[in-house]
Amino acid sequence: MINPMLTSCTSEITLEGSSNAHVPDELFAGLLAKQACISPKFLYDALGSKLFEAICELPEYYPTRTEAAIFARHGAEIARAAGEGCTLIDLGAGNCAKAASLFPLLKPAQYVAVDISTEFLHEALAPLRQRFAQIEMEGLGMDFSQQFALPAQVRAARRLFFYPGSSIGNFAPDDAYAFLRRLRLECGDDGAILIGIDLAKDKAVLDAAYDDALGVTAAFNLNILRHVNTLIGADFDIRAWRHHGFYNAARGRVEMHLESTRAQLVQWPGGARRFEAGERIHTENSYKYQQADAIELLERSGFEATRVWTDPRCPFAVIHAQAMAA
Ligand code: AVJ
């Protein structure tokens, strides 16, 4: 059952609005909106990043496994498309495992791992520096969903933006376009993107992937409230909320919500919000694309698809696209 009122709320990662320093403002605005929402980027504190890692191990959660199989199967072709010696910029690097799996074939000159979950990122990067001593490495703890400027130590030549896992799905299509335009501006005419995009599929498969039997996705979603408690000193009672994750076929996206199981007041220094029993907080959208639409979106953004790799058993696309001369 979908409450159409909820869909007006933006739980996508938005491009406008506050910078990192204004995180609380962004949270207050979402919590006080008629249809309450929390940006999915707040799913990723140190525990949230670990819970997402656990999600990637679940039998129901197909994207990570499907994409990894594409990398394993077509790694040599991917490396040929990208070329050795690029500046590999990993957006939402997390545990850095996906990029690391490509290092032996891709042989990047520099690896730049970017993630909002700073502590988790630096823990992941340390062993990689040992294992791949010949690759120059940078870890950037930042929110790249906002306007971002890459620091001077990031090489300018042959930038390859690596955006795997269908993280692009967290943006509404218009914001995805704006985000990709920014990437196009951040790489020169010799730049490219290697992106993983989840494709629309059977509702039953999607529902199970975002509401798994073990309840790991539920814990991941509920953890956002713990994180918000830490960020703004709120007093969310985690036990009074219930996870929902389902495919909204009409909107072409998976949605995650948290439902209040009773009437309650949530307070934080300087504010409060009353929630009725059954009222929901929208925490994530995960858009699922048609392959042709994904390619068209990249082309409108200034990237020409050079290769597309898919999995015949599970619709998911890995696309290498070259910057088109401006
Ligand atoms: C990291 C945004 C790609 O949308 O599938 C996993 C996050 N949410 N389970 C996704 C997520 C619930 C994931 N992305």
Side-chain angles (χ1 to χ4, degrees):
M1 189 204 62
I2 295 149
N3 177 349
M5 290 301 289
L6 285 169
T7 55
S8 62
C9 172
T10 48
S11 290
E12 292 97 13
I13 290 173
T14 50
L15 289 162
E16 290 83 17
S18 43
S19 76
N20 248 345
H22 298 106
V23 158
D25 289 343
E26 182 184 357
L27 281 173
F28 299 143
L31 290 173
L32 295 172
K34 191 162 183 304
Q35 305 299 327
C37 60
I38 303 173
S39 168
K41 69 189 179 193
F42 297 114
L43 290 164
Y44 304 96
D45 62 351
L47 177 57
S49 295
K50 288 184 179 136
L51 288 168
F52 180 67
E53 261 189 318
I55 286 175
C56 295
E57 303 281 323
L58 293 171
E60 296 98 326
Y61 193 72
Y62 61 86
T64 313
R65 181 172 312 112
T66 305
E67 187 180 56
I70 293 172
F71 289 158
R73 182 147 192 221
H74 304 288
E77 281 177 25
I78 291 170
R80 220 172 300 134
E84 285 182 16
C86 71
T87 303
L88 183 64
I89 305 170
D90 189 355
L91 302 172
N95 63 15
C96 306
K98 293 172 185 183
S101 77
L102 292 172
F103 286 169
L105 287 165
L106 205 54
K107 301 186 175 67
Q110 188 186 35
Y111 174 58
V112 182
V114 188
D115 204 283
I116 193 168
S117 196
T118 310
E119 183 192 325
F120 186 80
L121 175 68
H122 287 290
E123 276 172 26
L125 213 49
L128 283 185
R129 289 186 203 276
Q130 304 285 317
R131 258 177 71 204
F132 299 94
Q134 67 287 5
I135 304 172
E136 194 181 309
M137 295 200 191
E138 289 290 337
L140 302 176
M142 66 178 206
D143 175 9
F144 59 83
S145 72
Q146 313 292 335
Q147 60 279 10
F148 68 92
L150 291 168
Q153 62 267 33
V154 178
R155 295 189 187 200
R158 299 203 29 234
R159 287 180 172 175
L160 176 65
F161 284 107
F162 184 50
Y163 200 37
S166 202
S167 295
I168 190 82
N170 274 164
F171 290 107
D174 284 353
D175 287 332
Y177 166 74
F179 177 70
L180 291 168
R181 289 286 311 163
R182 280 219 325 270
L183 295 188
R184 176 62 193 87
L185 291 174
E186 279 288 328
C187 71
D189 286 356
D190 65 350
I193 185 169
L194 181 63
I195 187 169
I197 303 185
D198 196 15
L199 305 176
K201 56 180 63 59
D202 201 57
K203 176 167 167 63
V205 173
L206 289 164
D207 285 349
Y210 290 84
D211 192 6
D212 63 276
L214 276 179
V216 181
T217 308
F220 174 66
N221 195 8
L222 287 163
N223 178 62
I224 206 170
L225 299 180
R226 262 190 70 259
H227 190 201
V228 169
N229 281 348
T230 312
L231 287 170
I232 63 168
D235 64 353
F236 274 102
D237 174 4
I238 314 303
R239 291 184 188 277
W241 296 85
R242 187 184 157 219
H243 165 70
H244 289 274
F246 57 88
Y247 185 45
N248 180 341
R251 291 182 165 258
R253 68 192 192 195
V254 168
E255 298 180 13
M256 290 210 309
H257 302 263
L258 290 167
E259 181 182 324
S260 176
T261 59
R262 56 171 163 79
Q264 56 181 314
L265 183 71
V266 176
Q267 293 178 280
W268 56 87
R273 164 79 187 249
R274 208 186 140 68
F275 291 96
E276 301 307 326
E279 203 173 347
R280 292 180 180 195
I281 302 175
H282 192 170
T283 53
E284 183 174 51
N285 287 324
S286 187
Y287 283 82
K288 306 301 170 185
Y289 283 80
Q290 300 294 332
Q291 186 173 310
D293 295 340
I295 290 167
E296 195 263 345
L297 172 65
L298 284 164
E299 293 191 342
R300 262 195 302 134
S301 313
F303 291 100
E304 180 170 28
T306 54
R307 288 297 305 265
V308 183
W309 298 273
T310 55
D311 185 317
R313 290 152 306 175
C314 179
F316 190 99
V318 171
I319 305 174
H320 177 271
Q322 197 70 47
M324 289 188 270

